[in-house]
Amino acid sequence: MTRFTKGHGTENDFVLVPDPEGTLELTPAQVQRLTDRHAGIGGDGVIRVVRTEFATDDAVRSLAPGAEWFMDYRNADGSLAEMCGNGTRVFAAYLQREGLVADREFAIATRAGAKVVRVTDEGFAVDLGPWRLVDEVGARRDGFDVMVRARFGKPVPALSLDLGNPHAVVMLPEGITLEQLDLTEAPEIHPTPVGGANVEFVRAVGPGHIALRVHERGVGETRSCGTGAAAAALATRFWSGVEDFTPWTVDVPGGRLTVTPLGGQRVELAGPAELVADGEIEL
């Protein structure tokens, strides 16, 4: 029997599996069973909670001196992911509840490097680290660098960003609402990025305020995506031509997040995290 905790950040939900000594080898089939919403626990992904020193990846293990715990994140289909913005907050909530961290600010290890988390009144804020435009020359010349087509839709321009994981952000043209989108299948991206990408569809709500829907690679449409919210805010900020450090409000189907651009081409994500259930399951 394997212990688990179920948690979510703005309804982006995860199954956390404690494995401090790194003895559990989760297979893609086991991850798929855990995340199955009918035959398993249900979730957008699985987070294995392991001491960084026991990570199998050399680059991750090298982070151990400054980050004791590794967020070993798997998408619902069992594939490995670099990191997950909402997952970092749920991971931090679990570490705090279990007494595995004591400070109000601490680093966690991910496949996209160490991320610094701090406790806030609303939950947690995480410095997602550096981000970049995938094709900055093309983006600054044309405003976009790829084309995206949702199911039954027409191709529309999108901007590619890398936040440790890949994103393509679409600002919906007039006449198309978020509610009209069919995201039951992965949107097509041209040219097709190696390894795929998360796709965010955005509508402006007001100054510094956007709403979005997202299709995550390896998962499908989710109620929220933390790095996707950050990518969407950064892309909208880029298109506005005012690249300052004002916080952005991002509404997702599962709630509300705050994205704050930081100096040094970094970005912070803040929002709630809840742990809702504990139990045991046979893998």
Side-chain angles (χ1 to χ4, degrees):
M1 300 297 290
T2 300
R3 290 174 50 226
F4 73 86
T5 294
K6 176 72 180 287
H8 76 91
T10 51
E11 298 182 9
N12 193 190
D13 58 342
F14 313 97
V15 180
L16 296 96
V17 178
D19 182 29
E21 307 305 318
T23 59
L24 178 64
E25 294 185 16
L26 281 176
T27 67
Q30 289 173 326
V31 171
Q32 291 168 20
R33 181 179 173 221
L34 287 169
T35 58
D36 190 302
R37 297 191 183 279
H38 301 287
I41 300 165
D44 293 323
V46 170
I47 299 173
R48 187 173 66 109
V49 184
V50 59
R51 283 193 170 85
T52 309
E53 63 181 300
F54 297 119
T56 56
D57 186 294
D58 290 342
V60 173
R61 202 163 51 248
S62 70
L63 303 174
E68 182 179 2
W69 294 97
F70 168 40
M71 186 183 83
D72 179 11
Y73 183 66
R74 321 289 178 101
N75 293 316
D77 67 354
S79 59
L80 299 179
E82 296 88 351
M83 68 159 299
C84 172
N86 289 323
T88 57
R89 300 196 314 280
V90 176
F91 187 72
Y94 178 85
L95 295 179
Q96 188 181 59
R97 189 193 72 176
E98 296 297 307
L100 301 176
V101 295
D103 297 334
R104 292 184 62 83
E105 183 172 297
F106 51 91
I108 61 174
T110 76
R111 291 187 181 85
K115 307 300 177 185
V116 176
V117 182
R118 60 184 178 86
V119 180
T120 69
D121 292 339
E122 294 76 28
F124 298 88
V126 56
D127 181 346
L128 296 177
W131 66 275
R132 66 182 180 88
L133 297 171
V134 173
D135 178 7
E136 183 163 1
V137 173
R140 294 198 179 279
R141 181 187 64 236
D142 303 321
F144 64 94
D145 61 320
V146 296
M147 298 295 291
V148 166
R149 188 180 76 85
R151 190 183 187 210
F152 303 130
K154 296 180 179 180
V156 289
L159 185 64
S160 301
L161 297 93
D162 187 323
L163 281 84
N165 57 0
H167 296 267
V169 182
V170 174
M171 178 59 72
L172 290 177
E174 290 297 325
I176 302 177
T177 67
L178 290 172
E179 293 74 21
Q180 290 174 312
L181 297 172
D182 186 333
L183 300 184
T184 56
E185 295 181 1
E188 298 175 4
I189 308 174
H190 299 286
T192 304
V194 177
N198 302 317
V199 182
E200 290 78 33
F201 295 89
V202 180
R203 289 293 292 177
V205 177
H209 189 178
I210 58 175
L212 66 81
R213 286 176 64 188
V214 57
H215 189 286
E216 291 196 56
R217 59 175 183 160
V219 185
E221 183 177 8
T222 57
R223 300 281 294 168
S224 179
C225 175
T227 54
L234 291 168
T236 308
R237 169 179 177 258
F238 171 79
W239 288 320
S240 76
V242 182
E243 298 183 55
D244 60 14
F245 302 107
T246 302
W248 285 74
T249 298
V250 182
D251 292 334
V252 295
R256 176 168 287 181
L257 297 163
T258 301
V259 173
T260 305
L262 305 174
Q265 200 80 349
R266 305 173 76 85
V267 63
E268 182 185 77
L269 173 73
E274 295 188 41
L275 305 178
V276 298
D278 297 282
E280 291 185 339
I281 190 171
E282 185 174 358
L283 292 178

